[in-house]
Structure formats: C-alpha cells, structure tokens
C-alpha cells in the first residue's frame, strides 16, 4: 500500500515497581486522552493504578472528525454513525485503528512480553475498541475488559466469532444500571451474545452508577488483572 505508516500513538505509562513481565493497555472513552483516563483513575483511587510487575499503558486516540459531534474533531478510537446499538458500525475507522493498536501490542512483544501476558480493555468506546481488537485480531491475548461499553447488534466481532475455532480471551465487563449514555441493556446484550459465541464472560452490575467509573469497580478490575496476569515466579534453570 502506498500509504504512510500511521504515527505511533501517544501514550502515558505507569511503570511497574519491579521486573516488567506483563502489560496492560487501557483505552480511554470518546473525547478523552490517555493522560485524562490515567488522571481520572488516579483521582478515584488516590493513587495510580500500579502493579509490581505490570506496565500500564494509556494510549491517546488521534483526533478525527466525529459524526455524533456533527463532524467536529475529537479523540475517538473510531467514528460512529450515531450512538445506538442497532445502527451499522463504522467498520473502516475501526479497522484502521486496529492497525495502530496492533503496533502498540507489537512494541510490547518486542520488549519481551508474550501475547498471553498482555491485557487490553477500556472505558465506554475504549472497551468497544478493545473487544474488536482482541476478538477479531488478537485472540491470543490474556483477556479483555469493557467498562460501560457495548457492541452494535450485528457487530463484526459477532461475525468473526461465528466462524472461530480458537480459545478466546476471557471478558471482564462492568456496567452501571443508571447509565443514560450507554444503556445497561446494551452492555447486557453484548455480554449474552459473546457468551453464546464461546467467550467466557462475566458482567458486574453497579446499581445507581451512571456513565462513569467508581472505586469498587476499579478495585474489582485490579483483582481480575492480577488473576489474569499473576506475578511470574522465576524458575531455576
């Protein structure tokens, strides 16, 4: 292809306290940045989400025209025709971003981190992006998390999983019942569809939580992260 390679995504990184043996990629929601998502989580926990052995990477989506904002530029992972679960996906923009995020995964692999020691997920649109990336292109990742996220009814993810034979990464999903932007029912339906297609998926429900994160949710997520990416014991040769 005669196209220039996409510029590497900007990222905010929380380094592990000890030896780096695993990586976590957290994708922000629409209109946010990697630094913004990191600061939000830091504010909720009163400290960075940090680990002994896991590097936490918060990339920033490049600014692009975003249709739900009447074509204004926004830091979004992909475009949407509208924010609903029964319209078609803007597959072209999803797929081009999958390429940029694949480069980010490959950077970690080049640093000596195996694919099954990499987790990807995010908040809202970031979680949707993570599901496309993992279930369509990187089925050998350690796991996926989606916080207040959904997939459209006839998502390309579902199409890909219908013909899939591989073992799939586990999904950790959280959703507030009071979410007015991404309805709880959309998250629930996504969870049911993925389960029916062979994904081992959990859905953690937060009563009265709107389109936001809270401390209980992040603590639960942290426990799940450490379960999926345990500290590696050094084996004697």
């Amino acid at each position: 292809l005669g196209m220039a390679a996409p510029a590497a995504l900007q990222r905010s990184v929380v380094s592990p306290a000890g030896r780096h043996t695993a990586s976590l990629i957290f994708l922000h929601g629409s209109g946010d940045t990697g630094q913004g998502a990191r600061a939000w989580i830091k504010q909720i926990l009163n400290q960075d989400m940090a680990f002994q052995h896991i590097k936490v990477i918060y990339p920033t989506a490049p600014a692009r025209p975003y249709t739900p904002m009447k074509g204004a530029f926004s830091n979004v992972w992909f475009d949407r025709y509208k924010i609903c679960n029964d319209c078609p996906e803007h597959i072209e923009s999803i797929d081009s971003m999958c390429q940029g995020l694949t480069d980010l995964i490959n950077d970690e692999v080049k640093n000596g981190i195996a694919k099954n020691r990499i987790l990807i997920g995010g908040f809202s649109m970031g979680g949707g992006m993570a599901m496309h990336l993992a279930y369509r292109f990187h089925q050998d990742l350690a796991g996926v998390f989606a916080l207040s996220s959904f997939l459209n009814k006839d998502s390309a993810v579902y199409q890909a999983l219908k013909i899939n034979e591989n073992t799939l990464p586990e999904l950790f999903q959280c959703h507030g019942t009071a979410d007015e932007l991404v309805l709880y029912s959309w998250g629930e339906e996504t969870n049911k569809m993925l389960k029916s297609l062979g994904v081992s998926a959990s859905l953690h429900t937060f009563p009265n939580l709107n389109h936001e994160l809270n401390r209980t949710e992040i603590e639960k997520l942290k426990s799940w992260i450490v379960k999926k990416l345990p500290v590696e014991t050094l084996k004697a040769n």
Side-chain angles (χ1 to χ4, degrees), residues 70-105:
K70 299 186 168 57
F73 271 68
S74 185
N75 294 88
V76 289
W77 298 109
F78 50 86
D79 199 7
R80 286 188 167 128
Y81 296 106
K82 50 179 189 282
I83 300 172
C84 66
N85 74 337
D86 56 1
C87 54
E89 289 174 320
H90 196 288
I91 201 70
E92 195 183 340
S93 61
I94 292 173
D95 287 359
S96 76
M97 187 52 65
C98 281
Q99 190 47 62
L101 289 165
T102 293
D103 292 344
L104 184 61
I105 291 171

Side-chain angles (χ1 to χ4, degrees), residues 159-203:
Q159 310 311 320
L161 294 184
K162 278 175 186 158
I163 54 171
N164 171 65
E165 299 291 314
N166 301 324
T167 311
L168 297 161
E170 184 186 323
L171 175 68
F172 178 91
Q173 223 182 320
C174 294
H175 216 114
T177 57
D179 196 326
E180 287 162 12
L181 185 69
V182 174
L183 301 185
Y184 176 78
S185 60
W186 299 358
E188 194 176 35
E189 193 176 315
T190 300
N191 191 273
K192 282 185 182 143
M193 272 301 290
L194 289 172
K195 270 190 181 146
S196 75
L197 293 165
V199 175
S200 164
S202 59
L203 175 58

Side-chain angles (χ1 to χ4, degrees), residues 32 35-44 123 211-213:
D32 201 356
Q35 291 89 327
R38 176 182 174 177
W40 189 21
I41 288 174
K42 191 172 179 172
Q43 184 199 336
I44 294 168
F123 175 71
H211 196 64
E212 58 196 341
L213 296 171

Side-chain angles (χ1 to χ4, degrees), residues 13-25 49-57 108 113 117-119 221-232:
V13 175
V14 182
S15 299
R19 197 171 68 95
H20 175 208
T21 65
S23 296
L24 168 72
I25 299 168
M49 180 167 72
F51 302 90
Q52 190 61 31
H53 59 297
I54 306 167
K55 173 181 173 184
V56 185
I57 306 162
E108 292 310 295
I113 305 301
R117 296 283 293 167
I118 300 173
L119 272 180
L221 173 64
K222 280 186 73 173
S223 307
W224 180 79
I225 289 166
V226 177
K227 195 181 86 191
K228 298 309 289 180
L229 302 174
V231 175
E232 284 187 334

